[in-house]
Amino acid sequence: MVLSKRAEKLEPSATLAASAKAKALADQGVDVLSLTVGEPDFITPKNIRQAAIAAIESGKASFYTATAGIPELKQAILAYMKEFYGADYDSNQVIVTDGAKFALYTLFQALLDEEDEVLIPVPYWVSYAEQVRLAEGTPVFVEAKQAADFKVSVAQLEATRTEHTKAIILNSPANPTGAIYSKEELTAIGNWAMENNIWIIADDIYGRLVYNGNTFTSIASLSEEIRKQTIVINGVSKTYSMTGWRIGFAVGDAKIIKAMVDIASQATSNPPAASQYAAVEALTGNQESIEVMRQAFEERLNKLYPLIAAIPGFKVTKPQGAFYLFPNVKEAMTMCGYQTIDAFVEALLMEAHVAVVTGAGFGTPDYLRISYATDWDTLAEATKRIHDFVEKKRQKA
Ligand code: PMP
Ligand code: GLU
């Protein structure tokens, strides 16, 4: 066998695969509208771009940095944690990583052994389960039903817990559902995790992207005790429209962070220096542009949601944050004569020329994900195409 068992078993990222497929079709000249990848369509704000250019021109960005990140960025992250989490951390509790994705990757590598289980609410972001498996751990799924606003309860978690449960992943606001856990819900989960000695992984990457008066609370801000048992994952990709720069971070227990730094030192050495200087400006510079982007997402959500809800056989809950709609399309799929979500999504791509992500990648095969991190004209036209497609197919079926 050429490949390792690990590589043989690996499922590639469903979001990136859908996006690549749409791009390949567009390269062949097909007029494809892609609502796949979760990436803001705005160019990175000017002050941030200029900070990177200055770092490059001065030569500061020419060299390796400390594996855990440049001191200025670690300081900026500590100030961010103080402002948004009301928490004081030390600089040995912070690691800057190549995107939040690599923060999660190194965290699982640092935390998990073969017998360890990680509780993952379903639907989940595509990379959690595979990253846990890559670390030889076992993902254990807990269903966050649409009827329960896509959230899990302590009773469900307790029913799924075993002596091997090592950690739980909480992603609020969530990708793909946009659900936000309330302070009360988080307190209950936090207390349960403490009682059972379970690490909390709080993926807060969408924490600043909340809409229509909804508010975000991080579980790490609830109490000193819960904070000690939580590793916060965050980054600049979504809030500052910096997906291409690859800067994320993790904050939490010093021993775990040190292990993550040691792993990163053997894997990547450090995140790109120019990107780190850009991230310092993102976190400490003028913040006006991020509110402009947030408002644009909110406006799109409010316009798009009723249009998606009006498609026959689409059942969608209005999200509170992030930038995705996650309709249950089982009825539409069946009406149109498709047996599986993958076949339905494939037909949308090949016949309606609209690319979305199959819910199968998120552990929920009756759903599909629509990213509204794209301009309104594209969203309006894509929605019309999906609507027309469903109408046409159901008449035939
Ligand atoms: N967590 C979630 C829930 C995400 O949607 C993403 C999107 N890429 C990430 C982590 C990773 O973000 P990045 O690596 O771009 O910082
Ligand atoms: N998180 C984004 C998404 O869900 C980016 C793609 C990825 O990292 O998988 O689309």
Side-chain angles (χ1 to χ4, degrees):
M1 180 109 70
V2 176
L3 297 178
S4 66
K5 292 192 197 87
R6 199 179 312 118
E8 285 283 353
K9 278 191 298 192
L10 185 75
E11 285 285 336
S13 162
T15 47
L16 298 183
S19 152
K21 201 165 173 183
K23 277 195 189 121
L25 218 62
D27 287 346
Q28 290 166 27
V30 181
D31 164 34
V32 182
L33 301 176
S34 180
L35 310 183
T36 53
V37 77
E39 135 164 289
D41 52 316
F42 305 102
I43 177 170
T44 305
K46 189 163 186 183
N47 60 318
I48 302 174
R49 303 196 312 264
Q50 281 175 333
I53 292 167
I56 292 167
E57 291 294 349
S58 70
K60 282 196 299 191
S62 300
F63 306 104
Y64 292 130
T65 73
T67 298
I70 56 173
E72 299 92 309
L73 183 51
K74 288 173 72 178
Q75 280 310 316
I77 292 166
L78 292 177
Y80 185 90
M81 297 309 289
K82 179 84 186 159
E83 183 178 353
F84 292 101
Y85 293 71
D88 289 305
Y89 289 92
D90 291 330
S91 71
N92 66 351
Q93 293 184 279
V94 182
I95 177 174
V96 181
T97 51
D98 296 68
K101 196 180 248 180
F102 195 63
L104 286 160
Y105 182 88
T106 46
L107 175 57
F108 294 130
Q109 294 290 329
L111 208 56
L112 301 180
D113 274 319
E114 259 169 49
E115 69 278 12
D116 292 332
E117 298 174 355
V118 179
L119 296 180
I120 304 180
V122 182
Y124 49 76
W125 177 49
V126 291
S127 295
Y128 295 146
E130 288 304 312
Q131 288 200 355
V132 166
R133 289 191 186 106
L134 281 171
E136 314 286 337
T138 304
V140 176
F141 301 110
V142 188
E143 197 183 352
K145 291 199 169 78
Q146 188 165 6
D149 293 328
F150 293 116
K151 292 188 265 192
V152 295
S153 66
V154 167
Q156 281 179 290
L157 295 173
E158 182 56 20
T160 324
R161 183 177 67 84
T162 73
E163 57 178 309
H164 299 298
T165 307
K166 178 98 185 242
I168 172 169
I169 302 177
L170 281 178
N171 175 215
S172 167
N175 176 1
T177 63
I180 299 181
Y181 283 82
S182 71
K183 214 176 212 172
E184 293 68 35
E185 290 161 341
L186 290 173
T187 306
I189 294 175
N191 289 338
W192 167 84
M194 280 197 303
E195 277 159 28
N196 295 293
N197 207 15
I198 291 168
W199 286 98
I200 301 164
I201 300 170
D203 182 344
D204 291 350
I205 194 124
Y206 296 103
R208 307 286 298 282
L209 293 169
V210 299
Y211 313 117
N212 300 314
N214 287 295
T215 52
F216 158 71
T217 306
S218 174
I219 194 161
S221 66
L222 292 179
S223 73
E224 182 69 16
E225 291 71 29
I226 295 179
R227 180 160 78 83
K228 283 201 173 122
Q229 215 153 296
T230 303
I231 306 287
V232 172
I233 304 290
N234 213 323
V236 294
S237 287
K238 316 285 173 174
T239 312
Y240 296 93
S241 201
M242 291 179 69
T243 47
W245 300 76
R246 309 310 303 128
I247 296 292
F249 53 88
V251 184
D253 180 84
K255 194 170 173 189
I256 295 176
I257 296 290
K258 175 168 187 317
M260 292 169 67
V261 175
D262 291 346
I263 291 164
S265 81
Q266 298 288 21
T268 57
S269 297
N270 59 264
S275 296
Q276 293 191 58
Y277 287 101
V280 173
E281 175 62 22
L283 294 179
T284 61
N286 189 316
Q287 302 291 304
E288 274 166 30
S289 49
I290 67 169
E291 176 56 13
V292 173
M293 294 191 278
R294 191 202 65 77
Q295 280 177 11
F297 291 133
E298 183 174 85
E299 219 172 278
R300 291 172 191 174
L301 167 65
N302 291 339
K303 279 159 78 179
L304 186 64
Y305 169 73
L307 300 182
I308 296 295
I311 299 174
F314 276 45
K315 296 207 163 44
V316 60
T317 301
K318 190 166 184 183
Q320 300 172 300
F323 33 57
Y324 311 102
L325 286 171
F326 199 60
N328 181 319
V329 298
K330 192 176 170 60
E331 206 184 304
M333 213 160 94
T334 315
M335 273 180 340
C336 296
Y338 295 96
Q339 308 298 321
T340 66
I341 188 68
D342 289 357
F344 186 59
V345 165
E346 177 75 8
L348 278 174
L349 177 64
M350 300 313 288
E351 297 180 40
H353 297 161
V354 177
V356 296
V357 186
T358 157
F362 303 90
T364 42
D366 291 338
Y367 292 76
L368 56 79
R369 192 189 77 175
I370 292 168
S371 163
Y372 57 87
T374 194
D375 64 279
W376 179 250
D377 288 349
T378 303
L379 290 170
E381 171 61 19
T383 308
K384 185 178 175 306
R385 287 188 194 178
I386 300 173
H387 197 132
D388 291 350
F389 173 86
V390 173
E391 287 287 7
K392 195 177 83 199
K393 288 276 166 178
R394 77 162 171 174
Q395 279 161 17
K396 274 200 199 145

